Amino acid sequence: MTLRTILVCLTGTKSAAPLLKTAALLARRDNAHVIGLFVTESLVMYPGIAVHVPEVSFKGFIASQQAHAKEIKAIFDEHTRSEDFPSEWRKISSENGLLADTIVASARSVDLVMMAQEDDGEDRPSVNNLQERVIKECGRPVMVVPHDYDGDKLGENIVLGWSDTREATRAMHDLINVASTEAGVRVVRVGKPPSNTLADHAANDLAMALARHGLHVEIVHRDKDGEKVSDVLNHEAFEMGADMLATGAFGHSRAYDFVIGAATRALLNDAKLPVLFSK
């Protein structure tokens, strides 16, 4: 239940402050090292497309990137200068023009990645589907924070969406580092409840494993009743007064997600609380 390095991916001026405020809740608790990462983009020209780009356009693009980085750094400094936890500003150039590749490479050495929820009004259109790629490829837990989130607690009351999958198992173990000491965890199984909950050995063993870390765990079974899984988890979090959700991410094939719909994408778009995604 200790975080040592938190990577905060800063992509826009609108989302930077809520994201840094949320990261500080965890960093203060564990005296974690916070890295504020801003990736500057490259103007990529694709082979086979004969387009002349004037030098003034290149210079203008670079200037806008530098100005944006300066704005983001000012927000980062404002939220970290008075804190006791160590912090570090990193500005990295994305040589191939893809933000996700650079973030993934930076994420592999940290305990937790924090990103802002996508916003249609974001000032960097290139961040579209960025969270999805990072979650799938970085190999680290990724917490996505709503762009207007203003909570003052994190990791004290957690809803864990549980199923017998590799991704959910990762989420269960990843939340241990994010949870506060003696946090409450509600393990939610979505689907038809079993006739005998005591025979749900997988969930019961999971609850005991979490309890050995000092967490207060309860298991609940919720039938969907026609709702989406994401709606069930959101409703459960609201009723519990939870301050975060944790769940496995992208456990199905792309074809399944396209036809049936994906709980992960729904939570990425609609969650009102920070969500810890594990893949």
Side-chain angles (χ1 to χ4, degrees):
M1 284 183 272
T2 301
L3 294 168
R4 286 290 174 249
T5 310
I6 302 173
L7 180 70
V8 183
C9 302
L10 302 168
T11 55
T13 53
K14 294 175 60 178
S15 58
L19 186 57
L20 287 164
K21 180 181 177 181
T22 305
L25 298 174
L26 297 174
R28 291 188 200 112
R29 186 194 71 194
D30 293 341
N31 195 36
H33 185 99
V34 172
I35 301 170
L37 176 68
F38 180 83
V39 181
T40 60
E41 301 166 68
S42 301
L43 191 58
V44 179
M45 300 305 297
Y46 294 94
I49 302 178
V51 177
H52 173 67
V53 179
E55 183 179 357
V56 66
S57 297
F58 279 106
K59 289 183 177 179
F61 180 81
I62 293 171
S64 69
Q65 290 285 297
Q66 297 304 321
H68 200 181
K70 187 176 181 180
E71 288 182 282
I72 297 289
K73 186 177 187 302
I75 298 172
F76 177 80
D77 290 341
E78 178 184 353
H79 282 80
T80 57
R81 68 166 59 96
S82 62
E83 299 285 359
D84 291 330
F85 58 78
S87 60
E88 172 188 352
W89 168 256
R90 287 185 187 176
K91 184 180 74 171
I92 300 176
S93 176
S94 177
E95 299 299 335
N96 64 0
L98 300 177
L99 273 65
D101 290 347
T102 305
I103 292 174
V104 166
S106 299
R108 287 177 174 143
S109 59
V110 307
D111 298 318
L112 176 67
V113 180
M114 299 189 71
M115 306 183 73
Q117 191 179 63
E118 287 186 8
D119 180 10
D120 291 338
E122 186 57 89
D123 42 12
R124 294 181 81 184
S126 59
V127 302
N128 291 339
N129 299 319
L130 178 63
Q131 293 86 349
E132 180 175 335
R133 277 206 58 200
V134 174
I135 291 168
K136 287 180 175 180
E137 298 176 25
C138 77
R140 307 303 304 136
V142 178
M143 180 176 288
V144 176
V145 179
H147 52 81
D148 56 353
Y149 185 68
D150 192 33
D152 58 1
K153 295 180 180 179
L154 188 62
E156 296 185 12
N157 292 287
I158 304 170
V159 167
L160 170 63
W162 172 254
S163 59
D164 296 316
T165 63
R166 178 180 66 85
E167 292 80 10
T169 302
R170 286 288 303 271
M172 170 262 190
H173 289 280
D174 287 339
L175 77 80
I176 292 172
N177 284 335
V178 179
S180 302
T181 303
E182 299 184 352
V185 179
R186 181 172 293 180
V187 180
V188 180
R189 267 193 180 277
V190 180
K192 185 176 178 60
S195 56
N196 179 10
T197 56
L198 294 178
D200 190 358
H201 301 298
N204 293 330
D205 285 346
L206 178 150
M208 291 301 299
L210 289 173
R212 294 185 187 104
H213 287 276
L215 304 177
H216 301 283
V217 187
E218 63 173 326
I219 302 171
V220 298
H221 295 79
R222 296 287 185 256
D223 201 333
K224 290 193 293 184
D225 290 328
E227 288 188 297
K228 296 185 295 185
V229 172
S230 58
D231 289 338
V232 175
L233 295 177
N234 278 321
H235 292 165
E236 196 71 30
F238 177 78
E239 292 179 4
M240 179 188 179
D243 53 46
M244 65 169 281
L245 285 159
T247 182
F250 299 110
H252 297 293
S253 69
R254 183 177 294 273
Y256 179 97
D257 289 347
F258 179 78
V259 176
I260 305 299
T264 305
R265 291 190 179 90
L267 286 172
L268 276 171
N269 294 328
D270 303 330
K272 306 303 181 185
L273 295 172
V275 183
L276 184 71
F277 293 101
S278 298
K279 171 63 177 172

